[in-house]
Amino acid sequence: SPADALASLTAWTAKAFCLDDRIGSLQKGKDADLVVFSGNPFEPQSRVLVVVCNGEVVVDQREKQ
């Protein structure tokens, strides 16, 4: 499923490398870089709207939509 595909790229991978206490899910106190899509990230028509790295917005395409 799409949810399992996303988890395999995030939470499950972090757990496999014993890093799930720091990364892999969006929770208070964890490190995270974040990508916001216009729709389902696995659909070709979805576009990147916002990218946040180290707490700073580095890409903001919201005005262009």
Side-chain angles (χ1 to χ4, degrees), residues 33-46:
D33 293 334
L34 180 69
V35 180
V36 178
F37 291 88
S38 63
N40 182 333
F42 299 109
E43 294 294 329
Q45 68 270 22
S46 292

PDB file of all heavy atoms in Angstrom, residues 33-46:
ATOM      1  N   ASP A  33      13.735  16.441   8.372  1.00  0.00           N
ATOM      2  CA  ASP A  33      13.619  17.265   7.182  1.00  0.00           C
ATOM      3  C   ASP A  33      12.270  16.874   6.596  1.00  0.00           C
ATOM      4  O   ASP A  33      11.821  15.744   6.744  1.00  0.00           O
ATOM      5  CB  ASP A  33      14.745  16.990   6.186  1.00  0.00           C
ATOM      6  CG  ASP A  33      16.104  17.417   6.723  1.00  0.00           C
ATOM      7  OD1 ASP A  33      16.133  18.321   7.575  1.00  0.00           O
ATOM      8  OD2 ASP A  33      17.121  16.845   6.298  1.00  0.00           O
ATOM      9  N   LEU A  34      11.615  17.807   5.948  1.00  0.00           N
ATOM     10  CA  LEU A  34      10.233  17.592   5.570  1.00  0.00           C
ATOM     11  C   LEU A  34       9.985  18.074   4.154  1.00  0.00           C
ATOM     12  O   LEU A  34      10.458  19.144   3.767  1.00  0.00           O
ATOM     13  CB  LEU A  34       9.337  18.367   6.543  1.00  0.00           C
ATOM     14  CG  LEU A  34       7.843  18.302   6.366  1.00  0.00           C
ATOM     15  CD1 LEU A  34       7.334  16.909   6.689  1.00  0.00           C
ATOM     16  CD2 LEU A  34       7.172  19.321   7.263  1.00  0.00           C
ATOM     17  N   VAL A  35       9.251  17.276   3.381  1.00  0.00           N
ATOM     18  CA  VAL A  35       8.826  17.656   2.037  1.00  0.00           C
ATOM     19  C   VAL A  35       7.306  17.614   2.007  1.00  0.00           C
ATOM     20  O   VAL A  35       6.707  16.616   2.395  1.00  0.00           O
ATOM     21  CB  VAL A  35       9.393  16.706   0.960  1.00  0.00           C
ATOM     22  CG1 VAL A  35       8.942  17.133  -0.425  1.00  0.00           C
ATOM     23  CG2 VAL A  35      10.914  16.662   1.035  1.00  0.00           C
ATOM     24  N   VAL A  36       6.684  18.707   1.550  1.00  0.00           N
ATOM     25  CA  VAL A  36       5.231  18.785   1.433  1.00  0.00           C
ATOM     26  C   VAL A  36       4.886  18.734  -0.047  1.00  0.00           C
ATOM     27  O   VAL A  36       5.392  19.547  -0.831  1.00  0.00           O
ATOM     28  CB  VAL A  36       4.680  20.082   2.060  1.00  0.00           C
ATOM     29  CG1 VAL A  36       3.169  20.161   1.879  1.00  0.00           C
ATOM     30  CG2 VAL A  36       5.058  20.161   3.531  1.00  0.00           C
ATOM     31  N   PHE A  37       4.039  17.778  -0.429  1.00  0.00           N
ATOM     32  CA  PHE A  37       3.635  17.608  -1.819  1.00  0.00           C
ATOM     33  C   PHE A  37       2.233  18.161  -2.050  1.00  0.00           C
ATOM     34  O   PHE A  37       1.443  18.277  -1.116  1.00  0.00           O
ATOM     35  CB  PHE A  37       3.648  16.114  -2.194  1.00  0.00           C
ATOM     36  CG  PHE A  37       5.016  15.518  -2.266  1.00  0.00           C
ATOM     37  CD1 PHE A  37       5.615  14.983  -1.141  1.00  0.00           C
ATOM     38  CD2 PHE A  37       5.708  15.476  -3.465  1.00  0.00           C
ATOM     39  CE1 PHE A  37       6.877  14.423  -1.200  1.00  0.00           C
ATOM     40  CE2 PHE A  37       6.967  14.919  -3.535  1.00  0.00           C
ATOM     41  CZ  PHE A  37       7.558  14.391  -2.405  1.00  0.00           C
ATOM     42  N   SER A  38       1.904  18.415  -3.288  1.00  0.00           N
ATOM     43  CA  SER A  38       0.575  18.900  -3.649  1.00  0.00           C
ATOM     44  C   SER A  38      -0.475  17.793  -3.594  1.00  0.00           C
ATOM     45  O   SER A  38      -1.669  18.075  -3.620  1.00  0.00           O
ATOM     46  CB  SER A  38       0.594  19.518  -5.052  1.00  0.00           C
ATOM     47  OG  SER A  38       0.936  18.545  -6.019  1.00  0.00           O
ATOM     48  N   GLY A  39      -0.043  16.564  -3.520  1.00  0.00           N
ATOM     49  CA  GLY A  39      -0.939  15.412  -3.469  1.00  0.00           C
ATOM     50  C   GLY A  39      -0.168  14.202  -3.000  1.00  0.00           C
ATOM     51  O   GLY A  39       0.852  14.321  -2.322  1.00  0.00           O
ATOM     52  N   ASN A  40      -0.606  13.032  -3.388  1.00  0.00           N
ATOM     53  CA  ASN A  40       0.057  11.788  -3.036  1.00  0.00           C
ATOM     54  C   ASN A  40       1.491  11.813  -3.580  1.00  0.00           C
ATOM     55  O   ASN A  40       1.693  11.993  -4.778  1.00  0.00           O
ATOM     56  CB  ASN A  40      -0.721  10.613  -3.647  1.00  0.00           C
ATOM     57  CG  ASN A  40      -0.145   9.270  -3.302  1.00  0.00           C
ATOM     58  OD1 ASN A  40       1.036   9.115  -3.041  1.00  0.00           O
ATOM     59  ND2 ASN A  40      -1.003   8.268  -3.312  1.00  0.00           N
ATOM     60  N   PRO A  41       2.500  11.644  -2.724  1.00  0.00           N
ATOM     61  CA  PRO A  41       3.889  11.731  -3.191  1.00  0.00           C
ATOM     62  C   PRO A  41       4.284  10.652  -4.201  1.00  0.00           C
ATOM     63  O   PRO A  41       5.284  10.799  -4.896  1.00  0.00           O
ATOM     64  CB  PRO A  41       4.719  11.601  -1.915  1.00  0.00           C
ATOM     65  CG  PRO A  41       3.814  11.023  -0.899  1.00  0.00           C
ATOM     66  CD  PRO A  41       2.419  11.388  -1.294  1.00  0.00           C
ATOM     67  N   PHE A  42       3.475   9.603  -4.320  1.00  0.00           N
ATOM     68  CA  PHE A  42       3.775   8.532  -5.263  1.00  0.00           C
ATOM     69  C   PHE A  42       3.072   8.712  -6.608  1.00  0.00           C
ATOM     70  O   PHE A  42       3.198   7.865  -7.488  1.00  0.00           O
ATOM     71  CB  PHE A  42       3.427   7.174  -4.656  1.00  0.00           C
ATOM     72  CG  PHE A  42       4.222   6.883  -3.411  1.00  0.00           C
ATOM     73  CD1 PHE A  42       3.618   6.883  -2.170  1.00  0.00           C
ATOM     74  CD2 PHE A  42       5.580   6.629  -3.487  1.00  0.00           C
ATOM     75  CE1 PHE A  42       4.340   6.625  -1.017  1.00  0.00           C
ATOM     76  CE2 PHE A  42       6.323   6.376  -2.344  1.00  0.00           C
ATOM     77  CZ  PHE A  42       5.698   6.381  -1.107  1.00  0.00           C
ATOM     78  N   GLU A  43       2.339   9.788  -6.761  1.00  0.00           N
ATOM     79  CA  GLU A  43       1.656  10.075  -8.019  1.00  0.00           C
ATOM     80  C   GLU A  43       2.504  11.038  -8.857  1.00  0.00           C
ATOM     81  O   GLU A  43       2.987  12.035  -8.342  1.00  0.00           O
ATOM     82  CB  GLU A  43       0.283  10.704  -7.762  1.00  0.00           C
ATOM     83  CG  GLU A  43      -0.708   9.781  -7.094  1.00  0.00           C
ATOM     84  CD  GLU A  43      -1.099   8.603  -7.975  1.00  0.00           C
ATOM     85  OE1 GLU A  43      -1.116   8.753  -9.216  1.00  0.00           O
ATOM     86  OE2 GLU A  43      -1.362   7.525  -7.417  1.00  0.00           O
ATOM     87  N   PRO A  44       2.679  10.746 -10.139  1.00  0.00           N
ATOM     88  CA  PRO A  44       3.526  11.591 -10.992  1.00  0.00           C
ATOM     89  C   PRO A  44       3.073  13.050 -11.078  1.00  0.00           C
ATOM     90  O   PRO A  44       3.902  13.938 -11.253  1.00  0.00           O
ATOM     91  CB  PRO A  44       3.448  10.932 -12.369  1.00  0.00           C
ATOM     92  CG  PRO A  44       2.948   9.556 -12.130  1.00  0.00           C
ATOM     93  CD  PRO A  44       2.154   9.595 -10.859  1.00  0.00           C
ATOM     94  N   GLN A  45       1.774  13.314 -10.942  1.00  0.00           N
ATOM     95  CA  GLN A  45       1.292  14.686 -11.066  1.00  0.00           C
ATOM     96  C   GLN A  45       1.508  15.506  -9.800  1.00  0.00           C
ATOM     97  O   GLN A  45       1.354  16.728  -9.829  1.00  0.00           O
ATOM     98  CB  GLN A  45      -0.181  14.731 -11.491  1.00  0.00           C
ATOM     99  CG  GLN A  45      -1.151  14.221 -10.447  1.00  0.00           C
ATOM    100  CD  GLN A  45      -1.430  12.739 -10.556  1.00  0.00           C
ATOM    101  OE1 GLN A  45      -0.651  11.977 -11.125  1.00  0.00           O
ATOM    102  NE2 GLN A  45      -2.554  12.301 -10.007  1.00  0.00           N
ATOM    103  N   SER A  46       1.875  14.880  -8.683  1.00  0.00           N
ATOM    104  CA  SER A  46       2.137  15.620  -7.446  1.00  0.00           C
ATOM    105  C   SER A  46       3.429  16.405  -7.588  1.00  0.00           C
ATOM    106  O   SER A  46       4.404  15.927  -8.155  1.00  0.00           O
ATOM    107  CB  SER A  46       2.251  14.666  -6.260  1.00  0.00           C
ATOM    108  OG  SER A  46       1.010  14.078  -5.984  1.00  0.00           O
TER     109      SER A  46
END
